[in-house]
Amino acid sequence: MNRLLSTDAVPRDQRLAYWTDMICNIYVQLGCDPVRNGPSGDFEGSIRQHTLPALDVSVVRSGAQSVMRTPGHIARSSDDYFLVGIQTRGHGVVRQDGRDAVLAVGDFALYDSTRPYQLFFDDAFEQIVLKLPGERLRSELRDTEALTATAVSGREGAGHLLINMIGTLREDIDALQPASALAVANGVLSILVAGLQTLPAARSPSLSNLTAFHLARIKRRIDAQLGDAGLSVGSLAAELGLSASQIHRVFKSEPLTPAQYIWERRLEACSRDLLEPRLAGRTVSEIAYGRGFNDAAHFSRAFRERFGCAPREWRLGGGRQ
């Protein structure tokens, strides 16, 4: 889906109210105060929104302003999203969790909708904003609250790769087929995670060679046996010659427990299968059973919690909520 919203669509004296409604509708409940350098009707802004499976990509252009998400906003709307502001013109500041991230062109920063935050722009600006479900990122990274409002440079490393990927994606995003769009969304997430892992707060002691070996071995076995409804920590331990406690110790540095990891991988596999043209003849239940779920109603509830919509809606909408 591609849509353009602009303050040009309403009379000048209604533009600020319209802008506030726009950002609340596309992101989360927010307040906005313009930094006016002229008549109140001079406020202008536009948002072009693109929707990928489990990832929204929007391009925001507007004038000087401050945007805030307060405890009151959070109380009225319990949305759980991470947002990433990628500065493409002008300067911005992201404030959350007692930190300020000052963004120059090419930099980006993470913020979490479940806690108050503020965004400041002292002049005209453009940002690309990524919006993704909270649990999606928490399944990839530990202690995300330590990573918010910290600038990641887009001039080197994973940050540079993310900026280039998003720039290319802007050109071709609306031509992607659902299965390809999901693969691209997952690729964006992987590069985002890699960029956030360069932050000092994300760095953890390196795994020993033996622990890294066992972790990779366990994950490979899980991926190979997702269709087995009996897959569990106990069955993995027996098959790999490890104890259940050893498997839990190996996963100690991971954001998910072994059981949570199995669950997450099954849901991700189902999300891909539902968009796969070659599996269009299979029912939702058949796809769920093929990935190790044994209760269709339970699967449907878990899928909705993870992706924000029912499996059937995900399939019919091409992965777009």
Side-chain angles (χ1 to χ4, degrees):
M1 182 181 70
N2 175 353
R3 62 172 175 165
L4 174 65
L5 299 173
S6 171
T7 54
D8 290 343
V10 299
R12 297 178 72 84
D13 62 350
Q14 298 176 23
R15 287 180 174 180
L16 178 59
Y18 182 68
W19 177 255
T20 302
D21 287 344
M22 283 167 56
I23 59 178
C24 290
N25 181 51
I26 292 177
Y27 304 114
V28 291
Q29 290 295 305
L30 299 164
C32 178
D33 289 329
V35 179
R36 295 189 177 96
N37 294 316
S40 59
D42 284 350
F43 187 85
E44 295 182 346
S46 68
I47 302 176
R48 183 174 293 278
Q49 182 188 25
H50 309 269
T51 305
L52 292 172
L55 176 68
D56 277 2
V57 181
S58 55
V59 181
V60 185
R61 297 186 179 101
S62 191
Q65 62 191 269
S66 61
V67 177
M68 68 290 297
R69 181 159 167 85
T70 66
H73 291 126
I74 294 169
R76 293 193 295 273
S77 171
S78 59
D79 293 331
D80 181 5
Y81 293 102
F82 282 104
L83 299 107
V84 179
I86 304 170
Q87 200 74 28
T88 50
R89 184 163 63 90
H91 293 80
V93 176
V94 177
R95 175 175 294 170
Q96 189 172 50
D97 298 323
R99 295 181 293 273
D100 283 5
V102 180
L103 305 181
V105 171
D107 297 338
F108 66 88
L110 178 77
Y111 47 106
D112 185 341
S113 74
T114 65
R115 297 189 302 283
Y117 64 79
Q118 293 174 287
L119 311 176
F120 302 97
F121 305 96
D122 59 7
D123 207 341
F125 72 95
E126 179 185 87
Q127 271 198 349
I128 301 172
V129 180
L130 311 181
K131 175 186 171 185
L132 61 153
E135 286 307 311
R136 184 70 180 93
L137 190 61
R138 293 188 194 98
S139 71
E140 301 283 345
L141 284 170
R142 299 182 57 166
D143 303 324
T144 52
E145 67 276 5
L147 307 178
T148 55
T150 306
V152 179
S153 173
R155 290 171 287 281
E156 59 186 4
H160 184 63
L161 288 175
L162 179 65
I163 298 298
N164 286 342
M165 185 174 188
I166 294 298
T168 302
L169 184 59
R170 287 176 65 176
E171 303 298 323
D172 302 319
I173 191 169
D174 296 312
L176 294 172
Q177 295 301 309
S180 298
L182 178 59
V184 169
N186 288 337
V188 169
L189 176 66
S190 295
I191 297 175
L192 171 63
V193 168
L196 293 170
Q197 286 176 331
T198 66
L199 297 174
R203 294 173 188 164
S204 55
S206 299
L207 299 178
S208 70
N209 289 339
L210 182 59
T211 298
F213 167 76
H214 282 312
L215 182 61
R217 184 173 169 230
I218 293 166
K219 288 184 174 182
R220 284 196 302 270
R221 184 62 62 179
I222 288 171
D223 284 345
Q225 296 186 356
L226 288 179
D228 180 1
L231 177 63
S232 67
V233 174
S235 69
L236 286 168
E239 185 170 349
L240 297 174
L242 301 169
S243 68
S245 59
Q246 280 180 297
I247 291 177
H248 282 288
R249 281 198 298 274
V250 167
F251 268 79
K252 191 173 181 180
S253 63
E254 294 289 292
L256 300 177
T257 66
Q260 289 170 335
Y261 182 80
I262 293 171
W263 193 261
E264 177 71 14
R265 295 298 287 168
R266 281 178 167 155
L267 287 172
E268 288 179 359
C270 287
S271 75
R272 294 192 301 272
D273 291 349
L274 288 166
L275 301 182
E276 175 55 59
R278 292 172 297 180
L279 301 180
R282 294 189 187 178
T283 66
V284 170
S285 294
E286 286 172 340
I287 285 175
Y289 296 147
R291 291 299 186 174
F293 290 96
N294 53 21
D295 184 317
H298 191 198
F299 162 71
S300 185
R301 287 194 300 272
F303 192 95
R304 182 182 290 277
E305 289 176 3
R306 171 64 180 76
F307 293 99
C309 63
R312 194 175 307 278
E313 295 168 344
W314 176 267
R315 171 179 262 181
L316 292 174
R320 294 165 173 85
Q321 300 178 35

